[in-house]
Structures are given as C-alpha cells and as structure tokens.
Amino acid sequence: MQKELQALAQPGALATLTGINRGIEKESLRITPAGKLAQTPHPEALGSALTHSSITTDYSEALLEFITPVNDSIDSSLTKLEDIHSFTYRHLDEEILWAASMPCIVAGDEGIPVAQYGRSNVARMKTVYRYGLGHRYGRLMQAIAGIHYNFSMPDEFWEQAWHASGKTTSKADYITGRYLGLIRNFRRYSWLLIYLFGASPAVCASFLRGSENHGLEPFDGNGKSFHLPYGTALRMGGLGYNSTAQQHLNVCYNSLEQYVATLSSAIGQSHSAYSAIPTGENDDYQQLNDSLLQIENEFYSPIRPKRVAQSGEAPLKALMRGGIEYIEVRCVDISPFCPVGIDAQQVRFLDTFLLYCLLEDSPPCNDEEQATQASNLEAVVNRGRKPGLQLDEGNGAVTLCDWADTLLESMRPVAKLLDTAHGSTSYEASLAEQSAKVVDPALTPSAKILQEMQEKGLPFFRVAMAYSEQWADYFHKRPLSDETLADFEKETQRSLQAHADLEQTGSLSFSEYLEHFFAQYENLRDLH
C-alpha cells in the first residue's frame, strides 16, 4: 500500500481523490401518528415508484427508498437527501418516517403490504419477486430498513493506476480486479463498521411475536422491548438479512467469472423447500421461480459489485458486459441521531475505510477464511461491545479493541491523504472520532440507544418514535427553494408519464417476459 500512497501523494494524482463518486440509498418506513406501519398506498404526489429517479419503494408499499444521484461532493449528496425528505413530507399528510432500522409496531406478516408497481411486465416482476421473498423468509424481515452506500473511484484515478500497473490487462479488467480486492478486504474488516455504526441493538416486542427462538433478552419487566446487552446491529444478524437457505452458498470474490457463475447457477438451481410455492400455474405467481435465488438481488451480502444495467438486462449480465463499475455497501444502519440517518463524518470514514480496502494488499480468499469472516461478523453483531471480546484475525485470536486500533492506525495515512487533497482536517477528525469509540464503547450508537432507553425508562419503540417525531418536525419546517420544488414536481410528472407509457407497451405475456429475462443467465453458469 505504501507505494500506492506515495504515487497518490503526487500533485497530478492527488486531485483525483476529490473526485470519489458516491450515491446514497436510504430506506424509511411510513408510519401512522400512533407509530404503526402505514397501510396506505404509495402517495401519488410522490410520482411512480417504478420510474421515479429518487423516490421509490423497496419490499413493502410502506418502505420508501430515497436515492441520491451520483455526486463527488459529500455535502451536496446529503443536502439532496434532505431535500428528498423535505419534499416527501409535503405529501405524507399525517404520516411520518420511522427513524430507525428495526421496525415500528408491526402486526405480523399480514400487516406488511407488499410493494405494488403497476400492470406492466417489469412492474409485475418486481412485485412477484417481493411476494417470493415474503414466502421464503417472512415479510417481517423485509420491513427492516437500512442505508446503502455506493462508492466508486473517478476515471482519472483508474487511468493513472492502470498505466502505473503496466497495462497488462484491459482497463476494464484491471478496474474489476481492483474492486474485487476491495470487496475481499471489506469482508475481512466489515465487522469494524458494524461495531462503529451499528444502531440496532434492540427491537419492539411486536417484531418478535410468534417467534420463540430469537435469543434476545427482555429489556424491561413489561416485555415491550428485547435486546442483546452488548449487541450492535441486530439487523445484520439472525433476525435480519440472513437466510438459512443461503448458508451453504459459497460465493467467491476472487474473480468476476466465479462470482457470476455461482450466482447464476443458484438462479437456475431448483430448491425443494420452495417447490410448493406457486410459480405461474394458472397464472398464479407467488414467486418468480423455485430456485435457490429468484434473482441475484436475493443473495444477501454486506457488499455487492455493481454496474448500471441496460433496460431489461440482468445485473450479472451487466457485470460480465462491462466489469464492475462501483460497489454497494449494504451494512449501514439508520442512525436515529441525525435527520437523514447518516452524517458527513460517517461518510468521510466510509470513504477512508473503502479507499484503505482498495489500496491494501488483498490476497485471494477461500472457504475457510469466509467462514472466519462470518464468525467475526456474527460475534460483533451480537456481542460487539462485550469487554475483551476476541475475534479471529486469521493468525489467531485478538481482542476487538486491539485489532480495531491497528486497523484505524493503518488508515491514518489514507485519511491524511484525503485531507491533503481536500485542504481540510475533516477525514482525520472522523478517524479520531471512531478511535474514541474503540476506547469507550459507550460512544457507539448501539450503546447510546440502550443508555437512553435505560435512563428514560422507555422501550425501544418510544425512543425511536421520539426521534421520528423530532425529524418529522425538522423536515416540515425545513424550506425548499422554488427551483428545487419545481424540479421535484417536474420529476413527479415525468415518472407518472413514463409509468403510463410502460403500461401501453409490450406484447409479451408475463410468462414469455420471464422466459426471455431468465434466458440471460444460461450462458453465465459455465464461466468458471
């Protein structure tokens, strides 16, 4: 890494670090004033969830997803995210947005409406996929919200790095190889992000109703909240984005071909546990297929390689067409302590962490190492703040604190380089903020949530509800410029028209549409 740091410190290369591209996707549940999951349809005043560029839905009709455009300015990205919230609040009537990752009061699977996108084939495919998720894993898991952080280095950075490497491969292959190295390192060290930013140590009792083997402890005598005393991000553990069916799916990140072939095979591999779920008989689609994965998005991972797909193109085919374009970090909890769930200090650390993962040597991984990574992640999810907690560094046991200190110290030159490029001290300040959390676990978001519950004698629901109301008030009072408001209104109308146009086009039946779509995977299964 030292050689690359020295190269990046040169004036011509340093400027490329100001061009890091980022995009934020932030999910938020719509809730009633009483704190229950909204049962109302997606507000038409927000445009079409199928075609709007910045306001859509995820699994549930009540789970809004806000998307910022690709931007190389942290402040601009966060301002855009605040603008989307402000515009949305103008059209929610009395509903508000839930300010936490783990859900509000929910009434079982039946109380979680699945997202609807319209009558076109692409719309129907999105909804059927979600029905399939509900049948396979339960709808409750799909009501959990998070933040996805999209990250890519600018073209100028890659051009210089590729030339310095000797151009022994194509530029696209070089970039893909480097992003795969980033992903491997991310998986080695992602437990650190869970410790530093995990903000889901407790859940509302309604989320666990009907479940007896959750392993959580009652927080108080009245049984309104359950938690793990040293837990950090329950969203990333057994309660959240986890799947027993996928546990034996060993996805390798040593080459793009292996990654694509493994997931493509899982999409084409019938899974007996899903065979009883209707898949088109008498036009009854409750899932897209009975495979281990309906589509690649069903593979739950804290990080994904991505490329913008063309219309109708499968994501894996897009990756094989052009290589990895950016990476998507998926393990970020919503912080109830700031208006949009993430702030500039956290973004700066994410950039530092990801750039470190890119520059640091990243040897190939194997099944044994992947098992160790999963074990480390599970330990930090459930017991991350436990004094003396030990993790497996690969060469033996080490305490979380010692390993975290070593990693953060190793990131210092990266943070310093980013500060030099930006003419600031903000990146090193963000790093120092994270180091303080290692010294004092009480500073972590997960500890602060439990401490507030304890000090105020409130269940998780009441604490999260108070923050939800606070930020609702904030966004109701936050002004939008006439120009920004006009842009949102224009996009709303454009999305509704695009939605209407989609419903008027296409002569294929839904079964034919699916057949054409899934044919894309056939040639991808034999790549390795």
Side-chain angles (χ1 to χ4, degrees):
M1 185 173 78
Q2 192 61 39
K3 185 178 177 182
E4 285 211 77
L5 285 171
Q6 290 174 346
L8 279 171
Q10 301 306 308
L14 190 62
T16 67
L17 296 182
T18 63
I20 290 175
N21 290 306
R22 58 189 65 78
I24 303 171
E25 302 168 20
K26 190 256 189 175
E27 299 163 347
S28 293
L29 288 168
R30 286 187 292 115
I31 65 171
T32 69
K36 296 181 179 180
L37 189 68
Q39 302 297 303
T40 50
H42 184 70
E44 187 174 352
L46 297 181
S48 165
L50 180 65
T51 54
H52 200 288
S53 62
S54 56
I55 303 173
T56 182
T57 52
D58 200 311
Y59 175 81
S60 173
E61 187 77 350
L63 183 55
L64 287 169
E65 183 174 347
F66 300 148
I67 304 166
T68 69
V70 177
N71 199 307
D72 62 7
S73 163
I74 294 173
D75 289 340
S76 294
S77 292
L78 292 175
T79 297
K80 178 65 175 180
L81 196 53
E82 289 212 0
D83 286 346
I84 299 171
H85 281 74
S86 297
F87 177 75
T88 298
Y89 263 109
R90 289 170 171 251
H91 303 289
L92 288 187
D93 295 327
E94 293 185 339
E95 293 176 354
I96 63 175
L97 302 178
W98 186 244
S101 278
M102 299 308 285
C104 54
I105 296 175
V106 288
D109 278 10
E110 296 74 20
I112 299 173
V114 174
Q116 303 295 317
Y117 297 97
R119 300 187 306 274
S120 64
N121 283 329
V122 65
R124 191 175 176 189
M125 183 176 176
K126 287 170 74 75
T127 295
V128 170
Y129 167 62
R130 284 155 174 76
Y131 278 124
L133 294 178
H135 286 301
R136 293 168 179 226
Y137 314 109
R139 294 187 184 182
L140 279 174
M141 187 176 96
Q142 317 300 330
I144 298 171
I147 290 175
H148 299 163
Y149 185 72
N150 299 314
F151 171 95
S152 65
M153 298 301 293
D155 289 341
E156 296 80 9
F157 170 88
W158 288 123
E159 187 68 29
Q160 293 183 20
W162 180 52
H163 276 278
S165 74
K167 298 195 290 187
T168 54
T169 64
S170 71
K171 184 178 171 184
D173 285 347
Y174 173 78
I175 294 171
T176 289
R178 293 296 303 273
Y179 276 133
L180 286 170
L182 183 161
I183 289 170
R184 292 194 298 274
N185 276 338
F186 180 94
R187 291 174 64 86
R188 291 176 175 116
Y189 310 134
S190 59
W191 58 265
L192 180 60
L193 296 180
I194 300 298
Y195 173 82
L196 295 173
F197 301 111
S200 52
V203 300
C204 179
S206 68
F207 182 76
L208 301 174
R209 201 156 289 144
S211 171
E212 297 177 358
N213 301 315
H214 50 72
L216 305 190
E217 302 176 15
F219 184 81
D220 44 37
N222 58 25
K224 291 183 177 180
S225 300
F226 286 80
H227 78 306
L228 286 177
Y230 299 111
T232 56
L234 301 183
R235 166 179 169 266
M236 296 302 299
L239 287 180
Y241 285 88
N242 231 318
S243 163
T244 52
Q246 296 180 24
Q247 282 179 353
H248 303 295
L249 185 60
N250 285 336
V251 175
C252 175
Y253 296 91
N254 291 334
S255 77
L256 185 61
E257 288 76 13
Q258 284 178 298
Y259 174 80
V260 168
T262 304
L263 289 186
S264 295
S265 296
I267 293 168
Q269 168 192 339
S270 182
H271 190 60
S272 59
Y274 304 147
S275 61
I277 305 169
T279 316
E281 297 79 8
N282 299 317
D283 205 39
D284 181 13
Y285 284 91
Q286 294 296 313
Q287 59 179 354
L288 294 174
N289 51 50
D290 65 358
S291 299
L292 180 59
L293 302 177
Q294 298 175 87
I295 54 176
E296 50 270 69
N297 288 359
E298 191 172 335
F299 174 61
Y300 298 118
S301 174
I303 187 169
R304 282 180 184 164
K306 299 289 289 274
R307 169 165 284 277
V308 175
Q310 297 168 355
S311 178
E313 185 180 36
L316 291 179
K317 189 177 179 184
L319 283 173
M320 288 309 301
R321 169 176 55 80
I324 301 174
E325 185 177 11
Y326 65 99
I327 58 96
E328 178 187 52
V329 175
R330 301 170 52 79
C331 61
V332 180
D333 277 355
I334 295 169
S335 169
F337 303 115
C338 51
V340 296
I342 188 170
D343 62 17
Q345 283 289 69
Q346 183 173 351
V347 172
R348 290 188 187 98
F349 181 75
L350 287 171
D351 286 350
T352 304
F353 180 90
L354 293 168
L355 186 55
Y356 172 80
C357 287
L358 177 67
L359 300 178
E360 178 71 0
D361 185 48
S362 183
C365 61
N366 54 41
D367 290 350
E368 182 181 358
E369 186 185 5
Q370 291 206 357
T372 298
Q373 293 166 6
S375 177
N376 285 339
L377 194 68
E378 182 183 15
V380 177
V381 162
N382 295 325
R383 306 184 303 280
R385 288 175 289 103
K386 186 175 182 180
L389 177 68
Q390 293 197 322
L391 303 177
D392 187 343
E393 193 181 13
N395 298 315
V398 62
T399 66
L400 179 148
C401 289
D402 285 347
W403 195 1
D405 282 338
T406 300
L407 280 174
L408 292 170
E409 189 58 35
S410 299
M411 292 176 200
R412 192 170 302 282
V414 177
K416 190 169 185 177
L417 202 60
L418 285 165
D419 271 332
T420 303
H422 287 87
S424 74
T425 58
S426 302
Y427 286 89
E428 287 189 272
S430 175
L431 197 67
E433 192 175 279
Q434 311 320 316
S435 296
K437 295 177 188 175
V438 178
V439 175
D440 183 4
L443 297 175
T444 60
S446 56
K448 288 164 68 176
I449 289 170
L450 293 179
Q451 183 180 1
E452 188 167 342
M453 290 167 62
Q454 186 73 50
E455 289 179 351
K456 295 182 177 178
L458 294 174
F460 164 73
F461 166 75
R462 287 295 167 201
V463 170
M465 188 69 185
Y467 281 108
S468 302
E469 291 169 340
Q470 176 183 339
W471 301 130
D473 184 60
Y474 171 86
F475 285 115
H476 275 302
K477 292 178 178 175
R478 182 179 179 272
L480 277 177
S481 70
D482 291 343
E483 182 182 4
T484 300
L485 189 57
D487 286 343
F488 276 116
E489 298 288 5
K490 184 178 179 182
E491 175 58 14
T492 295
Q493 295 308 313
R494 186 209 63 79
S495 73
L496 291 171
Q497 184 59 55
H499 181 114
D501 292 344
L502 266 176
E503 304 217 321
Q504 298 301 318
T505 58
S507 56
L508 294 176
S509 69
F510 186 55
S511 61
E512 290 172 328
Y513 177 84
L514 291 183
E515 185 179 341
H516 279 74
F517 182 85
F518 285 112
Q520 298 179 78
Y521 296 99
E522 291 176 8
N523 296 329
L524 302 178
R525 291 168 190 147
D526 303 319
L527 287 170
H528 67 300

